[in-house]
């Protein structure tokens, strides 16, 4: 087996173990392989090992990979910060966007989503750690933003996403995930049919699954340390 196939197997085992501890079925948690900075050869290695969905953070890099891999039937998720002047290529090429943080970006994605494609699956990103530097709407804005996004015809609102501040201790990791889960439960109780909690990365996927993650976004534990040079 290749290193990437080995790593995928190890991550899948971590997910299964965390799900079992939480009393959940492992197939309630999807693994999104975060392939930013990695070449298509690595993505194909993962795809050959059965991985079907990939996450990208940079618009141009993602669009280039999607175009070059057309025919491989991969599913592509945009998970990075999205400026409103870069929405068109995302609306035209990606299957999902996890990082909706304001209505203007959502409105543009909806208007620019081609009619020959199904609605773009989206999550609203919420800042549950409270740092000024991280993107995402404020927790108290999430419900209103979700309601507005749910009404846009080119989009299908699926749920919420968060990227908490990295911490080592699993109990501390769980706190922001629990906050996101509480917001999710509130919005569902208000009548919006959300089915996705996108939370958890290489270092904290166990904590996220314990708090209800349905998609974990994992890069380093599959592909190795990224080199941005
Ligand atoms: C890079 C990235 C990930 C993956 O992080 P790892 O620590 O490499 O698993 C997940 N989500 C987002 C939004 C990212 O930018």
């Amino acid at each position: 087996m290749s290193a990437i196939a080995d790593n995928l197997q190890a991550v899948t085992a971590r997910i299964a173990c965390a799900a079992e501890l939480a009393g959940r079925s492992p197939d309630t948690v999807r693994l999104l392989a975060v392939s930013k900075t990695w070449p298509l050869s690595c993505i194909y290695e993962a795809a050959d090992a059965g991985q079907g969905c990939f996450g990208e953070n940079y618009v141009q890099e993602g669009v280039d990979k999607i175009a070059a891999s057309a025919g491989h039937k991969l599913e592509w998720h945009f998970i990075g910060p999205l400026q409103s002047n870069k929405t068109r290529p995302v609306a035209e090429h990606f299957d999902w966007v996890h990082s909706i943080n304001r209505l203007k970006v959502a409105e543009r994605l909806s208007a620019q989503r081609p009619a020959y494609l199904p609605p773009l699956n989206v999550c609203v990103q919420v800042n549950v750690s409270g740092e000024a530097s991280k993107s995402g709407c404020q927790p108290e804005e999430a419900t209103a933003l979700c309601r507005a996004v749910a009404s846009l015809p080119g989009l299908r609102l699926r749920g919420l996403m968060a990227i908490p501040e990295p911490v080592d201790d699993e109990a501390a990791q769980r706190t922001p995930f629990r906050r996101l889960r509480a917001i999710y439960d509130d919005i569902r109780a208000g009548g919006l049919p959300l089915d996705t909690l996108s939370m958890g990365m290489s270092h904290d996927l166990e904590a996220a699954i314990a708090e209800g993650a349905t998609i974990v976004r994992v890069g380093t534990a599959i592909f190795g340390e990224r080199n941005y040079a």
Side-chain angles (χ1 to χ4, degrees):
M1 265 202 314
S2 74
I4 288 173
D6 275 341
N7 292 345
L8 271 170
Q9 203 170 68
V11 170
T12 302
R14 282 176 63 190
I15 291 170
C17 184
E20 190 174 336
L21 271 173
R24 304 176 53 194
S25 163
D27 61 18
T28 62
V29 185
R30 277 181 90 193
L31 172 59
L32 178 65
V34 177
S35 47
K36 65 187 179 206
T37 77
W38 296 101
L40 276 176
S41 57
C42 293
I43 291 170
Y44 293 151
E45 248 181 87
D48 285 344
Q51 179 64 30
C53 53
F54 294 88
E56 292 284 336
N57 273 55
Y58 309 102
V59 174
Q60 195 56 51
E61 178 186 350
V63 167
D64 289 347
K65 286 174 176 172
I66 294 169
S69 66
H72 285 257
K73 297 269 176 270
L74 304 176
E75 185 180 284
W76 293 94
H77 295 228
F78 188 80
I79 61 175
L82 185 52
Q83 290 162 354
S84 56
N85 63 350
K86 298 252 180 75
T87 50
R88 183 176 294 280
V90 172
E92 290 177 348
H93 296 282
F94 279 86
D95 302 294
W96 282 69
V97 173
H98 292 225
S99 44
I100 301 288
N101 61 356
R102 57 206 172 95
L103 187 56
K104 183 178 178 195
V105 166
E107 284 172 341
R108 290 177 64 92
L109 287 169
S110 175
Q112 293 165 344
R113 182 65 167 174
Y116 59 83
L117 291 175
L120 183 64
N121 296 290
V122 299
C123 293
V124 164
Q125 183 177 350
V126 185
N127 180 349
V128 283
S129 297
E131 321 125 76
S133 63
K134 281 275 158 55
S135 56
C137 73
Q138 293 307 307
E140 53 281 7
E141 300 166 342
T143 302
L145 182 53
C146 281
R147 289 200 174 285
V149 168
S151 73
L152 295 172
L155 307 184
R156 179 173 171 210
L157 178 66
R158 300 296 296 266
L160 303 179
M161 181 272 233
I163 313 172
E165 173 83 334
V167 288
D168 287 335
D169 165 50
E170 190 175 330
Q173 288 171 353
R174 285 179 65 161
T175 304
F177 294 142
R178 192 175 310 130
R179 262 189 107 187
L180 191 71
R181 168 63 184 270
I183 298 166
Y184 173 83
D185 286 343
D186 260 8
I187 294 173
R188 275 164 51 106
L192 288 181
L194 307 187
D195 65 4
T196 300
L197 265 175
S198 169
M199 57 188 198
M201 315 194 338
S202 292
H203 67 283
D204 58 9
L205 67 89
E206 283 84 0
I209 290 169
E211 297 296 345
T214 68
I215 296 182
V216 291
R217 309 176 311 267
V218 178
T220 308
I222 296 172
F223 296 108
E225 294 289 343
R226 285 178 294 275
N227 179 359
Y228 289 98

